[in-house]
Amino acid sequence: MGSAYVVGTFDTKGTELRYVAGLLARGHSVVTVDLSTSGAASDADVPAAAVAAHHPDGAEAVFTGERGTAVASMAAAFERFVVGRDIDGIIGLGGSGGTALIAPAMRALPIGVPKILVSTVASGDVSPYVDATDIAMFPSVTDVAGLNHISRRVLGNAAHALLGALTHPVPPHEGKPAVALTMFGVTTPCVTAVARELAADHDPLVFHATGTGGRAMEKLVDDGLVCAVLDISTTEVCDLIAGGVMSAGEQRLDAIARTRVPYVGSCGALDMVNFGALDTVPARYRNRTLHVHNPQVTLMRTTADECRRIGEFIAAKLNACHGPVRFLLPEGGVSMLDAPGQPFHDPGADAVLFDTIEERLQQTTDRRLRRLPHHINDPEFAAALVAAFRDIAFQEAR
């Protein structure tokens, strides 16, 4: 059995960290880890110098005497420190600096390892800290600056939440292998049909392709928690290329290349870029083809030039993949809005997208492209995706 890790800067938060460690120790083994950058001594089980030694440039890169660089360097060292350790669960405490120091290491841990971060910034936008992982953030309410009748309750609840997760772990899943699927609202019929077909012998995990969804899916790929990917809705690439609000970043598809996981992809919702309410659309785009999806979401049709750049990005990423890859092109349209009579129907832009991917993709025995005369939400296209998946799954099993 591993231990519960209690982490933070013991030079400024030692009292609070020891309080949390004491509560956890009533039901689980505990390891305390000091992340101070001051060089002060502490009574933590793992001193700050031992963590700092994991920095690629050594401990001297951490203890610089300048707070900004020291915190960033300790964060990098701590992220390397946690990898491969037998950590049953982890809890950290901090203000803005401590939160930024602790969160990267928590994100590096596998999905499912309990992670609790008590923070003074937890009631604001926590996406930079949580990103695509399962970190649970507790607002500290008062500053993490000593114990009082409020902080004792907040820290106690956080400690007991972690202890509950450790005392009553979720039984391991011994059932069907998991397969990841990406979906957007406008590709729902396709993904639903594929997931239904696979459910007999696989556990379909559907991710909403909102930026965070794509990153979460690839995090599970890196963690080895899915056996294959059906990346039907690659729409996040549109937002990366055109500056929308749902980009998954430049790293989209990199986990597929790193792991060689079997991959079936398509062009779901590559006809649209996402913005917020209509008045948030950048001025340079106000004369474009826009569609108000709801009061908080405005969609913009991708142009032929953007489709070319999207196709180049996808092809380049897939060319770096050396596992089994199948990529299917739905020539009848890529979303509900890209069909005859619908506002984003643009066969010319779609043709540029399809032609670019086909021209740039380096096809091999393992990396294949297929054009189909169907709309992405046609039952025939869903059946073709399932057949492609069965093909690569069968190859992997041999």
Side-chain angles (χ1 to χ4, degrees):
M1 186 176 72
S3 298
Y5 277 53
V6 179
V7 305
T9 53
F10 271 75
D11 58 350
T12 60
K13 307 287 188 285
T15 300
E16 298 93 316
L17 289 161
R18 284 187 287 271
Y19 172 71
V20 168
L23 294 175
L24 287 170
R26 297 174 181 175
H28 207 84
S29 63
V30 173
V31 173
T32 53
V33 181
D34 186 12
L35 302 178
S36 305
T37 58
S38 64
S42 76
D43 58 354
D45 298 321
V46 181
V51 178
H54 286 75
H55 192 280
D57 297 324
E60 58 270 20
V62 174
F63 301 115
T64 61
E66 198 283 314
R67 176 174 169 77
T69 60
V71 169
S73 296
M74 182 62 94
F78 185 45
E79 185 174 355
R80 292 167 65 93
F81 170 86
V82 300
V83 174
R85 291 183 181 271
D86 193 5
I87 298 176
D88 288 344
I90 186 169
I91 185 169
L93 324 176
S96 59
T99 303
L101 196 166
I102 295 166
M106 288 189 171
R107 293 196 299 269
L109 293 172
I111 298 290
V113 174
K115 314 166 187 70
I116 293 178
L117 184 49
V118 183
S119 170
T120 61
V121 297
S123 62
D125 178 10
V126 300
S127 58
Y129 309 109
V130 176
D131 194 32
T133 66
D134 57 344
I135 298 172
M137 293 190 70
F138 278 51
S140 62
V141 184
T142 63
D143 200 353
V144 186
L147 293 176
N148 54 60
H149 74 283
I150 298 297
S151 65
R152 285 178 183 274
R153 292 295 298 272
V154 172
L155 295 176
N157 286 341
H160 291 149
L162 179 59
L163 189 57
L166 297 174
T167 306
H168 303 283
V170 177
H173 179 66
E174 303 293 348
K176 297 172 286 191
V179 59
L181 303 93
T182 53
M183 185 170 77
F184 218 43
V186 291
T187 63
T188 297
C190 175
V191 179
T192 300
V194 171
R196 185 185 303 118
E197 183 66 24
L198 296 180
D201 49 11
H202 286 81
D203 184 16
L205 312 180
V206 179
F207 296 85
H208 197 187
T210 57
T212 302
R215 292 194 299 274
M217 182 269 287
E218 295 203 18
K219 167 70 172 170
L220 292 185
V221 170
D222 273 329
D223 288 347
L225 296 177
V226 296
C227 71
V229 172
L230 280 134
D231 199 3
I232 298 165
S233 308
T234 45
T235 183
E236 291 154 323
V237 178
C238 300
D239 291 68
L240 171 66
I241 296 299
V245 298
M246 293 187 180
S247 168
E250 291 278 357
Q251 295 75 37
R252 186 68 164 86
L253 294 171
D254 287 352
I256 311 302
R258 279 193 297 271
T259 62
R260 301 190 177 196
V261 67
Y263 177 89
V264 177
S266 190
C267 303
L270 289 183
D271 57 332
M272 60 188 62
V273 181
N274 295 268
F275 295 103
L278 184 60
D279 61 4
T280 69
V281 176
R284 68 184 185 277
Y285 291 146
R286 294 293 170 84
N287 295 324
R288 293 278 296 274
T289 300
L290 302 175
H291 176 75
V292 177
H293 183 63
N294 61 49
Q296 284 74 45
V297 177
T298 305
L299 308 175
M300 180 180 76
R301 209 318 172 175
T302 48
T303 64
D305 180 64
E306 288 162 349
C307 285
R308 174 186 56 78
R309 293 159 57 199
I310 291 164
E312 290 172 347
F313 179 93
I314 290 174
K317 292 289 186 173
L318 295 181
N319 286 339
C321 298
H322 298 289
V325 169
R326 303 290 183 270
F327 202 84
L328 278 59
L329 304 179
E331 293 182 316
V334 301
S335 84
M336 288 180 181
L337 298 182
D338 180 27
Q342 296 301 310
F344 284 0
H345 185 54
D346 188 344
D350 287 350
V352 171
L353 173 68
F354 301 149
D355 291 347
T356 300
I357 294 174
E358 185 170 31
E359 291 165 4
R360 296 298 185 99
L361 188 68
Q362 299 165 5
Q363 295 196 57
T364 67
T365 302
D366 286 332
R367 188 188 305 122
R368 301 178 193 170
L369 181 90
R370 185 182 177 194
R371 286 178 177 261
L372 293 161
H374 308 300
H375 187 274
I376 195 165
N377 288 323
D378 287 346
E380 296 86 352
F381 193 76
L385 288 166
V386 172
F389 169 76
R390 300 291 188 200
D391 176 43
I392 60 174
F394 176 73
Q395 284 187 6
E396 287 295 290
R398 284 189 297 183

